[in-house]
Amino acid sequence: MGMQNNRSKYALATIIVILLLLIVPTIIYMKDLSTIKRIQQEPKTEGIQIYDANGQLIAQTGSDAGSFVAIDKLPSHTKQAFQAAVTLQPPGKNTLTEQITQQFLVGPHVGVARALESKIGNLAVRNRLSEEEKLAILMNQGDFGKDIQGITDASLTYFNISPTKMDLAQSALLAAILGGPEEYSPYTHPVKAANRRNEILDKMNELGYITASESKKAKEISVEVVSPNATTTKNLAALVTQQLQNNRVPNAGLNVITSIDPNLQEAARQIWPKNLSGVLIAIDPASGLIRALISEGKQDKNPTLEEVQPGATFNPILYASAITQGFRLNTLVPFTPSPTGNITLKHSVVQTPQDLPQWILGKLNKEEFTKFTNSLGLGSIDATKAEELATGQGAIPLLNLIGAYIPFAGGGNLLQPTIVQKVSGIDNDQTVFEHKIQENEVITPQVAYLITDLLTAEFTKGVAAKLEFGGTAAGKGNVDNRIFIGYSPDLLVAVYLVEIPEESDPSASSLWKQFMDEIAAEDTDGFQRPASIVQGIEVDIYTGYLATVNCPAKENSAFIQGTQPTTPCYLHPAQAVSRLPVTPPPPSPTPTPTPTPEQETPKEEPEEPVEPEAPKEPVEPEEPSETEEGKGNTSPDVSGR
């Protein structure tokens, strides 16, 4: 009886072992099939694919980054590079089947358990996937380095291009990285990465994929990758995401066509120094569309979306408000070193007097100024806040500051800086959003032209004059050269540096000029002049009157017809040529007061005065009302000129 019981126990144990040997592999096999199915399906349904204006993939975002790319969309040399790389792996990893199993199906086991998982995984892969599907999973879901998953993410990270545009050498390098992300990282082990790439190129030749000549040529190309600190792709995607949210577009499963011009973007990338934190943004002022964007930050900061201290780059907002309230380009503003203690408003762009913001704000109607800043998209900025911004003690969002210049460059229309042009679903290609230009005139075309003419002084006599830019441009930079915003008739370009540049470092203005030279931005026709504007009126910068042949410091200015000066400069009269100095006297600590036009005895006019485009009987401008707080007169030096 006891023997019989023992036999029964042994039989039961045997059955249990057999069942376990059948059930466990079956469970592992079914789990592997489920994993393979999930890997195939997930990347097709999530994330945002971001394209430039020509339809070229430039960035991506989302939980799986929408990184899947169909194998038939890739160049043949890219697929072949990965196939060749697999054959160079050690035994147990040198087939596509084994690669898929080891990367996605085998857990952290060792010994018999790992061997069992490997064999079952290989069986599941062979039964479930074709060779092309195996390659697609390996390339789209493989590990290409820290936080870099899939060939799309890898090509954008390492080369800043779509995987469909990779050349032979780039394809072989990515195939090398996939085989050992840490060992063959081009950032930490560039020599090993290059050697492994070359081994893959030799293997491709051995397998008949490429010729010996093609292999040799590709091996001669140096390993060049985007800086490991480069964040433009990620920050561009963040800006897209923000604008999608602003337009209430769900940010998942989307194709986004941006306004990025690939030629301008490449030009910006070429001139931007490696490891420099800052922003270069190029905007079409006629549409507000962002045509190029470099955004390099540190520690996951996106400088494009940061607040900045504008300093003197806020002054054009003050100028614009002043001109709308009656100032002219020859209105005198205080400047102690001047022989008269004053200079023209236009020349103050060159000198940037420290107390200029306070002086201008003291002359303006405060309520109207606040309304004006609000109309420019800056929010309701009062005089105190404006003075802080202009002196570098306050901060505003960078994009808001740049956007405020768009009306100056675009004929008076406010257009928000926009990067998203069209959005459609990845699955159904149905349009869910399309950008439409909505013009909003915040200043007249005449005022916009006057501000532009005012800001050309930065390029004729100011800091930007040293750049020797050959095209037509207007703009303003701040004192420490961290921000420079300038525009040609067709393009508004702003450069912002996160840190103050050292003497040997590129400045914001020099990078602006390099970019404009790179794109050959020239416009011989100049800025479009609206009706009722007269230009080229030569003015003495110390008195604001019409310059004479004896005025040593003069500038050309534009005016609304009827407001231009008609009286010659009293400080340097045209007669008595032989007795006049050719340069103004050195400034005195306490300058001798000079007569205002109202106090001055009218001088004899030259026999044949030359007044370009000036009317015979100019209409005197109305003085701003003194009954309104802060509006006052724009200085008595304006009248009669």
Side-chain angles (χ1 to χ4, degrees):
M1 189 72 176
M3 187 176 293
Q4 239 178 356
N5 285 338
N6 286 338
R7 286 176 182 167
S8 297
K9 288 179 181 179
Y10 291 143
L12 180 60
T14 301
I15 292 171
I16 291 173
V17 170
I18 293 172
L19 288 174
L20 287 174
L21 290 174
L22 292 174
I23 292 173
V24 171
T26 301
I27 292 174
I28 296 173
Y29 183 78
M30 297 304 294
K31 175 183 67 68
D32 288 346
L33 290 179
S34 176
T35 300
I36 293 170
K37 183 179 180 180
R38 176 178 55 78
I39 291 172
Q40 282 185 296
Q41 292 179 344
E42 277 189 350
K44 295 181 181 179
T45 57
E46 297 186 19
I48 301 174
Q49 301 273 8
I50 301 170
Y51 301 85
D52 64 24
N54 289 356
Q56 176 67 47
L57 183 69
I58 56 173
Q60 56 183 9
T61 186
S63 59
D64 282 303
S67 58
F68 184 87
V69 57
I71 290 294
D72 59 4
K73 298 287 181 64
L74 294 170
S76 58
H77 60 245
T78 301
K79 297 179 287 185
Q80 292 162 351
F82 281 82
Q83 289 169 328
V86 169
T87 66
L88 292 174
Q89 292 292 323
K93 293 184 179 181
N94 59 2
T95 69
L96 284 173
T97 296
E98 290 168 332
Q99 282 276 294
I100 296 295
T101 299
Q102 296 303 315
Q103 284 211 35
F104 302 104
L105 303 181
V106 176
H109 305 106
V110 294
V112 175
R114 185 176 184 85
L116 179 62
E117 281 191 334
S118 296
K119 287 189 176 296
I120 295 173
N122 288 343
L123 179 62
V125 172
R126 279 195 298 267
N127 290 341
R128 183 69 174 83
L129 301 172
S130 66
E131 289 300 298
E132 189 166 284
E133 288 172 328
K134 295 173 192 175
L135 186 60
I137 287 178
L138 186 65
M139 297 170 72
N140 282 298
Q141 297 296 306
D143 179 11
F144 286 86
K146 184 180 179 181
D147 300 324
I148 306 172
Q149 182 182 5
I151 190 171
T152 302
D153 199 12
S155 62
L156 291 171
T157 300
Y158 291 114
F159 311 126
N160 200 28
I161 60 173
S162 164
T164 60
K165 297 295 182 182
M166 288 194 301
D167 60 28
L168 176 58
Q170 291 169 331
S171 299
L173 180 60
L174 285 196
I177 296 170
L178 182 62
E182 293 184 8
E183 184 178 4
Y184 301 121
S185 168
Y187 296 140
T188 56
H189 304 293
V191 175
K192 290 185 71 173
N195 291 339
R196 186 61 168 181
R197 179 202 67 176
N198 293 344
E199 289 176 9
I200 292 172
L201 291 167
D202 286 337
K203 191 65 176 178
M204 292 177 71
N205 175 42
E206 180 185 322
L207 294 172
Y209 294 151
I210 59 175
T211 66
S213 174
E214 289 172 323
S215 174
K216 182 177 182 296
K217 185 177 180 180
K219 286 192 290 185
E220 290 172 352
I221 299 174
S222 61
V223 172
E224 292 186 359
V225 291
V226 176
S227 167
N229 296 322
T231 55
T232 287
T233 299
K234 181 178 68 174
N235 291 341
L236 186 150
L239 180 58
V240 168
T241 300
Q242 183 194 69
Q243 294 197 353
L244 290 176
Q245 291 172 347
N246 292 344
N247 289 286
R248 299 181 180 180
V249 179
N251 54 352
L254 301 174
N255 285 326
V256 178
I257 303 296
T258 69
S259 52
I260 295 294
D261 181 312
N263 294 326
L264 296 183
Q265 184 70 8
E266 177 61 19
R269 193 178 71 83
Q270 288 294 335
I271 65 97
W272 194 261
K274 290 182 178 180
N275 302 319
L276 179 66
S277 294
V279 174
L280 184 152
I281 185 168
I283 300 173
D284 175 6
S287 64
L289 293 174
I290 297 172
R291 296 304 189 188
L293 175 65
I294 297 294
S295 179
E296 293 298 318
K298 292 181 179 178
Q299 299 176 344
D300 295 327
K301 290 186 177 180
N302 186 349
T304 305
L305 303 179
E306 286 183 2
E307 290 196 341
V308 299
Q309 296 173 315
T313 56
F314 190 79
N315 285 358
I317 285 91
L318 301 179
Y319 293 139
S321 181
I323 290 172
T324 60
Q325 293 193 36
F327 276 54
R328 305 171 193 166
L329 271 58
N330 67 332
T331 296
L332 294 181
V333 301
F335 187 63
T336 303
S338 158
T340 64
N342 300 299
I343 53 175
T344 61
L345 186 70
K346 183 171 182 176
H347 195 63
S348 71
V349 173
V350 177
Q351 299 294 346
T352 316
Q354 188 174 1
D355 56 354
L356 179 67
Q358 183 181 14
W359 187 87
I360 291 179
L361 288 163
K363 297 293 182 180
L364 298 181
N365 179 295
K366 307 300 189 299
E367 183 179 344
E368 290 300 315
F369 172 76
T370 300
K371 288 180 181 178
F372 182 71
T373 61
N374 197 43
S375 72
L376 289 179
L378 297 170
S380 298
I381 296 176
D382 61 19
T384 302
K385 175 68 172 177
E387 188 174 342
E388 291 174 352
L389 292 170
T391 54
Q393 300 175 55
I396 54 175
L398 176 63
L399 281 180
N400 288 11
L401 173 65
I402 297 169
Y405 277 65
I406 291 179
F408 311 156
N413 287 311
L414 177 67
L415 298 157
Q416 296 300 324
T418 302
I419 195 170
V420 176
Q421 284 204 103
K422 184 178 180 181
V423 183
S424 59
I426 287 178
D427 295 329
N428 55 23
D429 201 33
Q430 181 179 353
T431 299
V432 295
F433 173 81
E434 192 163 9
H435 172 68
K436 295 181 180 178
I437 298 175
Q438 295 181 337
E439 294 185 348
N440 175 24
E441 187 177 284
V442 293
I443 53 178
T444 66
Q446 288 78 13
V447 169
Y449 188 86
L450 292 179
I451 298 167
T452 294
D453 187 74
L454 182 81
L455 297 180
T456 59
E458 184 80 335
F459 285 85
T460 56
K461 296 181 180 179
V463 173
K466 300 176 183 177
L467 302 176
E468 298 182 351
F469 177 61
T472 303
K476 191 74 182 85
N478 65 354
V479 175
D480 58 19
N481 223 329
R482 288 176 64 189
I483 307 177
F484 190 86
I485 307 175
Y487 54 95
S488 68
D490 300 316
L491 199 65
L492 169 66
V493 178
V495 178
Y496 160 64
L497 304 181
V498 172
E499 298 176 354
I500 298 174
E502 300 289 340
E503 188 173 343
S504 59
D505 294 336
S507 64
S509 59
S510 68
L511 288 170
W512 183 95
K513 199 258 186 180
Q514 286 181 51
F515 175 73
M516 297 298 276
D517 284 347
E518 186 75 15
I519 64 175
E522 294 183 6
D523 189 67
T524 55
D525 295 332
F527 294 102
Q528 185 174 357
R529 179 164 59 97
S532 76
I533 289 287
V534 292
Q535 62 182 10
I537 306 297
E538 203 167 48
V539 174
D540 181 272
I541 67 170
Y542 300 128
T543 67
Y545 284 87
L546 278 178
T548 71
V549 294
N550 293 311
C551 290
K554 43 196 170 186
E555 63 194 3
N556 287 318
S557 293
F559 295 87
I560 295 176
Q561 182 76 42
T563 66
Q564 67 269 37
T566 57
T567 304
C569 172
Y570 62 84
L571 195 62
H572 312 99
Q575 60 272 30
V577 174
S578 60
R579 286 181 287 177
L580 285 172
V582 294
T583 56
S588 166
T590 53
T592 304
T594 54
T596 65
E598 288 80 7
Q599 298 168 332
E600 177 194 9
T601 303
K603 302 188 184 307
E604 183 180 348
E605 296 286 341
E607 292 185 6
E608 294 182 7
V610 179
E611 298 182 358
E613 300 186 55
K616 292 181 180 179
E617 297 182 359
V619 179
E620 291 289 344
E622 294 184 4
E623 290 288 345
S625 170
E626 295 190 19
T627 61
E628 293 182 49
E629 180 189 355
K631 195 167 183 178
N633 78 51
T634 58
S635 91
D637 309 294
V638 175
S639 302
R641 278 176 240 141

